[in-house]
């Protein structure tokens, strides 16, 4: 009898030389790409356990439970892996409708446009909430998801 | 009088230490995430010039005009940059409806599922065309987009 170790699915992810994999969060309803972050093995395990997105913050060098400061957690409905095993796609319900630290729905808010002077990146999506309020206004003791 | 150099928009991308940025191709109509690849500065310039996705292949260490072998080019309708400047989002029309080298619509075809034995990645999307035919059957001289 062959027993499949529960960690097989984690071993099938192609972690890079830093032990990370690229993770895309996509709105489960609208299909909008909300953000891209990184996961290590522990982040992916915790994401599955909690059914909420947990990333690995490269700048802070620690696990980052998305929404831990803002309250803007991501409930994970589905997890996919790409053909090469090096990209994770999360289909999420975005708490508060704001994924970006700038207070916008999505981090992908700069569109390449062209005018007589050439190309430029233009911010085309509205700020839904002042980022100062996003972080100052969240009381994690009363608003835990 | 200030003249904005045409390369400013390229300098605003946060190229990593390899000179690369992560690029997501998303179906412009359905919103489906099709694939993730990498771009260097030249790849992004060519993508804008051609209005077709051009990536940088890390394995082949050269520019990769998506579809150059398969005919499955990606017509680019919109290009976005994220808040950190290190992710590009392309909204594309996928020629042939197949983005993946496995002959599937999207590279994100493995879904994490759980049964009594634990978690596993399950291929849940159909192969639309035998990959052998995808690459053998394309005559670039007659089918140039």
């Amino acid at each position: 009898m062959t027993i499949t170790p529960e960690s097989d699915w984690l071993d099938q992810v192609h972690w890079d030389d830093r032990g990370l994999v690229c993770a895309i969060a996509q709105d489960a309803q609208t299909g909008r790409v909300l953000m891209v972050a990184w996961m290590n093995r522990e982040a992916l395990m915790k994401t599955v356990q909690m059914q909420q997105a947990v990333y690995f913050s490269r700048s802070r060098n620690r696990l980052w439970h998305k929404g831990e400061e803002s309250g803007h957690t991501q409930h994970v409905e589905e997890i996919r892996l790409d053909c090469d095993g090096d990209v994770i796609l999360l289909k999420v319900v975005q708490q508060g409708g704001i994924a970006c630290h700038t207070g916008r729905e999505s981090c992908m808010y700069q569109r390449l446009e062209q005018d007589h002077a050439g190309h430029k990146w233009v911010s085309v999506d509205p700020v839904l909430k002042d980022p100062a309020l996003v972080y100052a206004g969240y009381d994690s003791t009363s608003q835990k998801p």
Side-chain angles (χ1 to χ4, degrees), chain A:
Chain A
M1 176 178 156
T2 306
I3 295 178
T4 309
E6 168 58 11
S7 60
D8 264 16
W9 66 280
L10 284 163
D11 295 335
Q12 285 163 24
V13 176
H14 291 188
W15 309 100
D16 71 10
D17 49 13
R18 302 163 298 177
L20 302 177
V21 72
C22 174
I24 304 169
Q26 180 180 32
D27 188 289
Q29 272 79 55
T30 66
R32 178 125 198 227
V33 173
L34 299 175
M35 58 179 281
V36 174
W38 295 87
M39 286 185 173
N40 62 6
R41 196 175 167 101
E42 192 183 355
L44 181 53
M45 271 195 295
K46 282 201 181 291
T47 296
V48 170
Q49 286 164 5
M50 300 174 67
Q51 291 186 274
Q52 290 193 9
V54 178
Y55 303 105
F56 180 80
S57 167
R58 292 176 299 170
S59 57
R60 289 176 283 184
N61 198 40
R62 66 165 176 84
L63 288 186
W64 164 38
H65 176 202
K66 168 73 180 164
E68 62 191 10
E69 292 178 36
S70 63
H72 294 157
T73 51
Q74 295 174 331
H75 175 75
V76 176
E77 298 211 329
E78 188 175 300
I79 302 179
R80 291 201 176 212
L81 181 68
D82 81 341
C83 53
D84 296 329
D86 61 2
V87 178
I88 296 277
L89 176 68
L90 305 178
K91 299 195 184 174
V92 305
V93 177
Q94 175 64 60
Q95 184 73 25
I98 296 175
C100 187
H101 75 288
T102 64
R104 293 178 175 88
E105 179 190 5
S106 162
C107 294
M108 318 299 303
Y109 61 82
Q110 301 179 88
R111 187 167 64 200
L112 190 64
E113 297 189 355
Q114 184 175 23
D115 64 14
H116 63 282
H119 288 91
K120 58 183 174 184
W121 300 104
V122 179
S123 294
V124 293
D125 296 339
V127 173
L128 302 177
K129 190 170 177 182
D130 182 333
L133 298 176
V134 168
Y135 292 95
Y138 177 62
D139 175 357
S140 66
T141 57
S142 67
Q143 296 182 44
K144 275 220 171 101

